[in-house]
Amino acid sequence: MRRIGITSEKGGVGKSTISWHLAGALSGGRPRRRVVLVDEDTRVQTCLEWAAAGQTLPFQVVAPDGAQTALERPTDYLLVDSEGRPPLSDLVAMTQALDLVLLPTGTTRPEIVSTIRLWGELRAAGTTDRVRVLVTRAAPVGHAGRDARDALRGAGLTVLDTVVRRLAAYERAAEVGGLVRDVQDPRAGEAWSDIQGVAREVK
């Protein structure tokens, strides 16, 4: 079982959106892989709310107290959508407990500076070998996403190649508690392609 956490110390970077759709992308293939998504953000419970919308999902969403029962069955991937803005000690503990931790970040200068600072704190704790930065909510046109990715790499961070663009299709998926690949939107295919790119890099 591969264990992947998605966390961020800043809000508005698409943490739960990435967790939700990555769970869907990782469950695909032949044979279908079993994915359990644990919603640890008990204050907001975004993924649990989406799951309650009644859509048929290719993965299971559980609260932290339901994780042990869910994992009694053979599972290929465990995804953890962390609490919002966890303290550094919790981030360090996550990097020590899981196989991989994704840090989503936006493309603005304050977000980039904050991510570089956090990386430095994690590096001081000796845990960045399991951490990957993911640039999210990039403008659909232009080079802001790639520029942010290159700036982060230039600062010594390990960053995924894939950039997740800010597309309205994700909002439509959230409204119905489904996956972006299944919504009626002219750019849904592009949005799903971004998510599949992330999935390929974290498998």
Side-chain angles (χ1 to χ4, degrees):
M1 178 175 64
R2 184 157 172 78
R3 302 161 299 171
I4 303 172
I6 301 91
T7 188
S8 175
E9 66 169 3
K10 293 184 69 65
V13 295
K15 175 177 66 68
S16 293
T17 297
I18 294 298
S19 301
W20 178 265
H21 288 91
L22 183 57
L26 289 173
S27 66
R30 297 284 188 274
R32 182 171 294 280
R33 294 178 287 270
R34 184 166 189 268
V35 178
V36 173
L37 171 58
V38 181
D39 188 344
E40 286 194 347
D41 198 348
T42 55
R43 183 176 60 86
V44 182
Q45 295 185 319
T46 301
C47 291
L48 284 168
E49 289 184 4
W50 289 341
Q55 292 279 323
T56 300
L57 299 169
F59 55 93
Q60 184 176 1
V61 185
V62 298
D65 58 6
Q68 183 173 351
T69 299
L71 295 176
E72 289 176 354
R73 292 175 53 197
T75 301
D76 298 293
Y77 289 95
L78 167 67
L79 269 63
V80 178
D81 180 17
S82 84
E83 65 175 306
R85 302 175 183 173
L88 179 62
S89 58
D90 287 357
L91 287 173
V92 171
M94 178 179 283
T95 62
Q96 294 170 338
L98 302 177
D99 300 308
L100 180 69
V101 173
L102 289 179
L103 292 179
T105 183
T107 61
T108 67
R109 179 171 177 77
E111 289 170 313
I112 292 171
V113 170
S114 176
T115 302
I116 292 172
R117 179 190 56 76
L118 176 58
W119 183 273
E121 293 173 339
L122 292 173
R123 183 171 54 200
T127 60
T128 51
D129 59 317
R130 299 186 183 186
V131 180
R132 301 291 182 271
V133 176
L134 170 63
V135 176
T136 63
R137 298 188 59 76
V141 296
H143 307 290
R146 283 176 287 176
D147 290 346
R149 182 188 62 195
D150 294 345
L152 290 163
R153 285 178 172 170
L157 282 63
T158 306
V159 189
L160 297 188
D161 287 330
T162 303
V163 172
V164 178
R165 291 165 288 176
R166 185 179 66 248
L167 296 169
Y170 291 112
E171 297 175 11
R172 295 199 169 121
E175 290 170 359
V176 297
L179 294 170
V180 71
R181 69 180 184 193
D182 300 322
V183 299
Q184 295 298 314
D185 184 278
R187 304 194 71 173
E190 296 176 59
W192 185 243
S193 177
D194 290 350
I195 297 298
Q196 288 181 307
V198 177
R200 284 191 294 269
E201 292 193 69
V202 303
K203 284 182 179 179

